[in-house]
């Protein structure tokens, strides 16, 4: 579970009125999208249909959205409650988010929800934001799974335990989540700046809440909050994926219809933020390794006609690499990263601009440049048509990709439901298409005023220039009879079993070192995914080339002999492509999702980037600064500190080896030593086709793709032939090390050990399932039940098992976040659970339950085209066919509890594990010493 936080350039989590009728607005709409006629259960009414999504309403007030998609072999059930941190009262901050956690604790009919989710192989979560809370699960498309999910959501809507014993343990988990956020300078600054930007409105409160409220909220207030807001008339249920619409609507009526409509009345929130009357500033002083500046301005709500123009304005200023801040700060080496984004909120919100600086930067000089660059868009340098069109294209490509994925759209609609109505998603898209450069210039002048900004310190102004924020529009009138555009093309009902994937895959004859696997199928929106890997060099040739190889790969898409970095970015947008080209010292990759009509041009663009990089010096200098700043930023971050130490211990390669893990100071010196000539020399020496694989999955012509790929890479041969780096098992003595990271509220723990094993070893299936039982699944593993669910020590704990396919070398890992003062409890519980599993093994019930969840999870993975393409490309390299999965899964099905238990006992040992901990343990020890 998490609270929704930041969703990049596009706006984040919206909100809605509390199930109250909205005042009318007049809008021009399109004709209703034709919808399949189905028999409606008693009391169910059809409300509207837009682009393949149909809304129904039950007598108890529940709104239902059905989005059938035959091309998806999964179903997503997503329920959105119109309650978030905006609805919390004094002393209740974080209550909506804390309640989200408790709703996973069970009901009389579903007493162990994490166990059920794991058994079904589901991909679940719950999120909380300013104006809404949602719960969702994506699972294999079967009627049994769908009935289970609908029954689960209906039952926990009104019958969740919300018990004192669960609050006692979960409070510390949520507090641990709060502490994790406190480790991030950027996140802390964002929360504090928004708190200063608002005088009265609850948007100034972080969704995670105040620590004191989290620790002290009475169970009675949580129970009252739950009974008030978790009701059918305050919820929107969405089902997306492969299902029968008529049957599903009957099921929904069966499970949700009996829930009575509540008699209580939800009062609308009425606090309005007054017009800001002067610049506000603040300074946070904490231990850290980077400098951050954030500037925000008040802007209208998501539904207001000005908001799309504000979104485009944020991109014109904050985009990388086209944005004005990037050019003014990053290209001049004053900052390492910049960003511009706008939260989409039910009521008037904020547009934000940020810059992350190297430690050596003059923060005051950057602040002045930052403010001048932002606010000159409202005066001497208004946005141009070219700038606006570029950002518009990026937004529309992202929206189109969302429309092509029913699962992604199903979750995205939670944000627009919270904004006032799910159809706002389509209206916002339509408005983005029609925004003019004059609109963007106007909103810049209206809102980007000095007296409307928050940076830090309050400064009185003799003649304030205030920005009046318009009220929220009437959503009902705004969307009256709105129908949207025609639905995108539907795909086929593809069965993602290994046998069907094998039967549908095409393996053209290898051309030199280039192998291909092609899996054509009809997809929603005619989408297609391509992934390509080019393996580079050999152990001897790659000595002392780690950083040089990184820069060679990272520079590929920063300019070709024909295009600049910006032109490459623009061309990907024009071709409706998401992905790109990237690389390291050992491998170069081209991974992209686009549409059938653009695939050929995308392939040509990728080949140009790979074969004709120009390595511009200005981009190289920018990349070096970004890399140094990133290293500095992570110097004392607990997760990075512990993981770095773990990697150095378990992989003790010599400094010249490409697999070596350097310390921060060493890394910075290595980066500084890299020259552009080194990078060009690496490219000329190692790049070319010696060992490369391409996998394509989706809507395409296989003959055309085979012919084009052969032509694009013909004659491009690597000067240095590829030879696989062998990874040999070696016994590693157990280590136990602790690292101090001052002023970090959250700590990180990682433990593990090397294993002498390959994934075709007889013991591997049993060990894989044992590790899944011990630390996998969704909050239902041995570790999660003990350390999170029962004792509330950690927000997140889990295991990892990586085993080689070619070398007999693997790694077992366990990681967790926690409060520094809980280290002793965490280690004791972890040790006890390892020793218990070794001593007692696993029960027959655990093994059978794990089999079901593990195998359904594999099926869900193959239903995702990106994951499937990556898997097929990897199997090409390994010389495997998709039926390897079927054989492996048959071995999983045949496992006995005795085999699973024996494998864990044979390979896993607490005494042989190395353990690394990073956190502010000194402060925790001092605080404990001062307690009475």
């Amino acid at each position: 579970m998490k609270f929704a936080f930041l969703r990049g350039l596009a706006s984040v989590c919206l909100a809605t009125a509390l199930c109250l009728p909205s005042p009318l607005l007049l809008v021009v709409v399109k004709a209703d999208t034709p919808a399949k006629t189905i028999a409606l259960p008693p009391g169910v009414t059809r409300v509207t249909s837009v682009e393949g999504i149909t809304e129904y309403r039950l007598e108890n007030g529940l709104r239902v959205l059905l989005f059938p998609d035959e091309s998806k072999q999964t179903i997503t059930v997503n329920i959105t409650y119109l309650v978030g941190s905006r609805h919390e009262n004094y002393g209740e901050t974080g209550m909506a988010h804390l309640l989200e956690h408790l709703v996973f604790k069970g009901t009389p009919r579903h007493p162990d929800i994490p166990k059920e989710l794991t058994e079904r192989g589901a991909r679940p979560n719950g999120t909380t934001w300013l104006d809404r809370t949602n719960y969702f699960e994506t699972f294999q498309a079967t009627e049994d799974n769908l009935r289970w999910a609908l029954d689960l959501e209906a039952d926990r809507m009104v019958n969740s335990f919300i018990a004192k014993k669960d609050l006692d343990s979960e409070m510390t988990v949520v507090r641990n989540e709060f502490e994790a956020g406190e480790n991030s300078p950027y996140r802390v600054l964002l929360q504090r700046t928004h708190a200063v930007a608002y005088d009265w409105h609850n948007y100034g409160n972080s969704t995670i809440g105040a620590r004191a409220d989290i620790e002290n909220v009475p169970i009675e207030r949580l129970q009252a909050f739950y009974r008030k807001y978790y009701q059918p008339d305050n919820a929107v249920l969405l089902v997306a994926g492969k299902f029968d619409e008529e049957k599903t609507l009957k099921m929904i009526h069966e499970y949700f219809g009996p829930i009575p409509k509540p008699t209580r009345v939800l009062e609308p929130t009425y606090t309005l933020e007054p017009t800001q009357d002067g610049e506000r500033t603040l300074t946070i002083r904490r231990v850290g390794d980077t400098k951050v500046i954030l500037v925000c301005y008040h802007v209208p709500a998501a539904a207001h006609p000005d908001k799309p123009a504000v979104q485009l304005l944020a991109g014109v200023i904050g985009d990388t690499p086209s944005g004005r801040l990037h050019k003014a700060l990053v290209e001049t080496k004053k900052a390492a990263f910049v960003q511009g984004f706008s939260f989409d909120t039910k009521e008037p919100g904020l547009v934000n601009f940020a810059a992350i600086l190297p430690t050596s930067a003059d923060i005051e000089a950057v602040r002045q440049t930052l403010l001048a660059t932002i606010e000159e868009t409202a005066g001497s340098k208004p946005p141009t048509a070219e700038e606006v069109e570029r950002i518009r294209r990026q937004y529309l490509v992202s929206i189109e990709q969302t429309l092509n994925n029913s699962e992604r759209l199903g979750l995205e609609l939670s944000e627009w439901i919270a904004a006032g109505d799910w159809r706002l998603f389509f209206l916002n898209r339509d408005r983005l298409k029609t925004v003019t450069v004059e609109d963007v210039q106007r909103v810049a002048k209206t809102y980007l005023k000095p007296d409307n900004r928050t940076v830090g310190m309050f400064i009185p102004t003799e003649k304030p220039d205030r920005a009046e924020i318009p009220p929220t529009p009437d959503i009902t009138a705004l969307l009256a009879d709105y129908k949207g555009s025609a639905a995108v093309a539907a795909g086929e009902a593809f069965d993602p079993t290994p046998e069907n994937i094998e039967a549908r895959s095409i393996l053209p004859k290898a051309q030199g070192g280039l192998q291909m696997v092609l899996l054509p199928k009809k997809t929603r929106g005619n989408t297609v995914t391509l992934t390509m890997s080019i393996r580079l060099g050999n152990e001897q040739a790659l000595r002392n080339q780690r950083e040089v190889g990184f820069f060679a790969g990272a520079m590929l898409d920063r300019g070709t002999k024909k295009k600049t970095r910006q032109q490459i970015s623009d061309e990907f947008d024009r071709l409706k492509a998401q992905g790109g080209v990237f690389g390291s010292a050992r491998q170069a990759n081209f991974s992209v999702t686009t549409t059938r009509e653009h695939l050929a041009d995308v392939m040509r663009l990728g080949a140009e980037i790979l074969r004709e990089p120009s390595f511009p010096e200005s981009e190289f200098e920018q990349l070096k600064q970004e890399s140094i700043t990133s290293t500095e930023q992570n110097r004392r971050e607990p997760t990075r500190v512990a993981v770095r130490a773990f990697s150095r211990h378990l992989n003790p390669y010599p400094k010249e080896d490409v697999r070596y893990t350097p310390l921060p100071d060493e890394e910075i010196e290595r980066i500084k030593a890299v020259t552009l000539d080194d990078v060009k020399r690496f490219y000329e020496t190692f790049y070319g086709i010696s060992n490369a694989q391409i996998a394509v999955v989706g809507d395409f012509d296989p003959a055309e793709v085979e012919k084009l790929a052969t032509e694009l890479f013909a004659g491009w041969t690597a000067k240095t032939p590829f030879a696989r780096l062998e990874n040999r098992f070696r016994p590693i003595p157990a280590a136990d090390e602790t690292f101090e990271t001052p002023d970090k509220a959250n700590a990180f723990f990682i433990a593990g050990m090397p294993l002498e094993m390959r994934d075709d070893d007889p013991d591997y299936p049993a060990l894989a399932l044992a590790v899944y039982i011990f630390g996998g699944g969704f909050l239902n593993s041995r570790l999660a039940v003990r350390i999170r669910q029962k004792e509330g020590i950690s927000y997140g704990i889990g295991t990892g098992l990586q085993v080689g396919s070619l070398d007999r070398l693997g790694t077992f890992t366990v990681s967790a976040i926690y409060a520094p003062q809980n280290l002793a409890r965490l280690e004791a519980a972890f040790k006890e659970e390892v020793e218990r599993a070794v001593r007692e093994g696993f029960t027959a019930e655990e093994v059978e339950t794990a089999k079901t969840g593990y195998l359904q999870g594999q099926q869900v993975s193959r239903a995702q085209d990106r994951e499937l393409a990556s898997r097929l490309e990897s199997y090409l390299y390994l010389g495997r066919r998709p039926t390897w999965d079927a054989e492996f899964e048959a071995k999983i099905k045949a496992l006995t509890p005795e085999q699973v238990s024996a494998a864990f006992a044979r390979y896993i040992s607490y005494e042989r594990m190395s353990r690394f901990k990073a956190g502010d343990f000194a402060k925790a020890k001092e605080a404990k010493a001062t307690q009475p």
Side-chain angles (χ1 to χ4, degrees), residues 751-896:
M753 56 188 293
L755 303 171
E756 191 172 9
M757 174 178 280
R758 257 179 30 167
D759 65 5
D760 57 357
D761 285 359
D763 281 345
Y764 175 64
L767 183 60
L769 195 65
V771 171
Y772 182 78
I773 297 169
F774 187 68
F778 182 74
L779 304 184
N780 192 49
S781 67
R782 287 273 187 95
L783 289 179
V785 169
R786 167 74 183 277
I787 292 173
R788 172 170 170 155
Q789 301 287 72
K790 291 184 178 178
E791 298 195 22
I793 298 172
S794 173
Y795 169 69
I797 183 167
T799 55
L801 179 65
Q802 293 81 38
V803 174
S805 298
L806 300 174
D807 297 316
R808 291 185 58 75
L809 177 63
T811 308
F812 168 75
T813 57
V814 177
S815 60
I817 63 171
Y818 57 100
Q821 62 268 25
N822 288 332
L823 174 59
R825 292 177 59 208
L826 172 68
E827 289 196 288
F830 170 60
K831 182 175 185 290
E832 289 173 11
E833 289 303 320
V834 173
E835 293 176 344
R836 181 167 74 93
V838 170
R839 182 177 64 253
E840 301 175 6
F842 304 101
T843 67
E845 181 183 0
E846 284 180 306
V847 170
E848 289 307 309
T849 298
K851 287 182 186 181
T852 301
Y854 186 91
L855 294 173
Q856 289 202 49
Q858 294 296 306
Q859 190 81 340
V860 169
S861 175
R862 288 190 293 267
Q864 318 302 316
D865 284 357
R866 280 185 178 272
E867 295 180 33
L868 179 57
S870 179
R871 185 183 298 228
L872 291 176
E873 181 265 314
S874 175
Y875 281 7
L876 264 187
Y877 171 67
L878 297 174
R880 287 179 177 169
R881 301 293 294 155
T883 48
W884 191 93
D885 285 351
E887 295 167 1
F888 175 73
E889 290 171 13
K891 295 174 185 177
I892 292 286
K893 291 178 183 178
L895 289 171
T896 66

Side-chain angles (χ1 to χ4, degrees), residues 14-77:
L14 316 172
T16 189
L18 297 176
C19 214
L20 298 173
S22 304
L24 294 176
L25 285 179
L26 180 63
V27 296
V28 179
V29 296
K30 302 177 183 178
D32 192 11
T33 304
K36 176 183 175 183
T37 301
I38 64 174
L40 300 181
V44 176
T45 57
R46 181 182 180 277
V47 179
T48 187
S49 185
V50 174
E51 298 189 21
I53 303 173
T54 304
E55 178 181 349
Y56 301 91
R57 189 183 296 267
L58 274 59
E59 286 183 321
N60 58 15
L62 179 69
R63 281 166 280 178
V64 177
L65 303 179
L66 296 186
F67 184 19
D69 179 7
E70 282 297 304
S71 71
K72 204 74 173 174
Q73 298 307 301
T74 57
I75 300 173
T76 296
V77 171

Side-chain angles (χ1 to χ4, degrees), residues 515-534:
Q515 301 171 282
M516 285 181 267
V517 57
L518 310 175
L519 179 52
K521 63 188 184 80
K522 295 299 181 182
T523 56
R524 180 174 175 79
N526 308 120
T527 56
V528 57
T529 295
L530 177 149
T531 182
M532 178 182 188
S533 292
I534 304 172

Side-chain angles (χ1 to χ4, degrees), residues 82-136:
L82 304 180
V83 59
S85 58
R86 176 167 62 90
H87 304 92
E88 296 163 348
N89 293 316
Y90 186 79
E92 294 181 346
T93 62
M95 182 179 286
H97 174 241
L98 185 55
L99 183 60
E100 173 214 317
H101 280 242
L102 294 185
V103 170
F104 278 91
K105 291 295 186 178
T107 70
R109 197 158 68 239
H110 298 272
D112 194 341
I113 292 174
K115 181 171 183 282
E116 293 184 29
L117 291 165
T118 301
E119 289 172 353
R120 300 280 176 165
R123 294 186 175 184
N125 214 333
T127 73
T128 308
W129 190 229
L130 300 171
D131 304 289
R132 60 105 186 115
T133 306
N134 77 313
Y135 304 84
F136 63 89

Side-chain angles (χ1 to χ4, degrees), residues 251-268:
M251 285 186 233
I252 291 170
H253 182 259
E254 175 186 346
Y255 291 111
F256 287 88
I259 301 174
K261 185 174 184 178
T263 57
R264 61 90 182 91
V265 176
L266 289 174
E267 306 85 6

Side-chain angles (χ1 to χ4, degrees), residues 589-815:
N589 300 91
F590 175 33
S591 179
V592 67
T593 297
T594 183
T595 58
R596 179 185 179 110
E597 64 174 314
H598 294 301
L599 178 60
D601 286 339
V602 169
M603 292 175 64
R604 293 186 184 97
L605 179 59
E608 179 185 331
I609 294 169
L610 285 166
R611 299 194 63 172
E612 303 178 59
S614 60
F615 300 108
E617 185 172 358
S618 62
E619 292 289 346
F620 175 67
E621 292 301 324
Q622 286 180 39
L623 182 59
K624 287 186 74 171
Q625 180 171 291
E626 291 171 8
S627 301
I628 291 171
T629 301
S630 178
T631 303
E632 290 175 337
Q633 184 175 0
N634 294 321
R635 183 190 299 273
R636 285 180 280 188
E637 199 284 316
T639 302
R640 297 301 183 97
V641 170
V643 170
R644 181 168 57 238
F646 180 83
S647 176
R648 286 172 61 85
H649 181 70
L650 261 68
N651 304 289
Y653 291 104
K655 291 187 176 183
E656 63 272 14
D657 195 289
V658 72
R659 293 162 289 188
Y660 173 70
T661 301
L663 294 169
D665 288 340
E666 188 180 5
E667 175 81 353
I668 290 170
E669 289 307 311
R670 285 173 168 232
I671 292 170
K672 290 180 177 178
V674 176
T675 69
L676 188 56
D677 286 339
D678 293 333
V679 174
K680 293 178 179 177
R681 191 179 305 113
F682 183 95
Y683 177 82
E684 293 298 328
T685 303
F686 294 101
Y687 272 73
I689 301 298
S690 174
N691 185 293
Q693 294 76 34
I694 293 177
V696 187
V697 176
D699 196 341
F700 65 97
D701 184 318
E704 290 181 4
V705 168
E706 178 188 354
K707 181 175 182 293
L708 181 58
T710 303
E711 293 173 354
L712 290 173
F713 297 103
W716 189 41
T717 305
K719 294 179 181 178
T720 303
F722 167 77
R724 182 175 65 83
L725 274 68
E726 294 185 9
N727 298 301
R728 302 174 184 86
F729 173 82
R730 68 186 92 181
I732 301 293
D736 186 356
E737 298 185 30
T738 301
F739 300 89
E740 286 289 342
T741 55
D743 214 24
K744 299 296 184 181
N746 197 57
F748 188 78
F749 170 91
I750 184 168
M753 56 188 293
L755 303 171
E756 191 172 9
M757 174 178 280
R758 257 179 30 167
D759 65 5
D760 57 357
D761 285 359
D763 281 345
Y764 175 64
L767 183 60
L769 195 65
V771 171
Y772 182 78
I773 297 169
F774 187 68
F778 182 74
L779 304 184
N780 192 49
S781 67
R782 287 273 187 95
L783 289 179
V785 169
R786 167 74 183 277
I787 292 173
R788 172 170 170 155
Q789 301 287 72
K790 291 184 178 178
E791 298 195 22
I793 298 172
S794 173
Y795 169 69
I797 183 167
T799 55
L801 179 65
Q802 293 81 38
V803 174
S805 298
L806 300 174
D807 297 316
R808 291 185 58 75
L809 177 63
T811 308
F812 168 75
T813 57
V814 177
S815 60

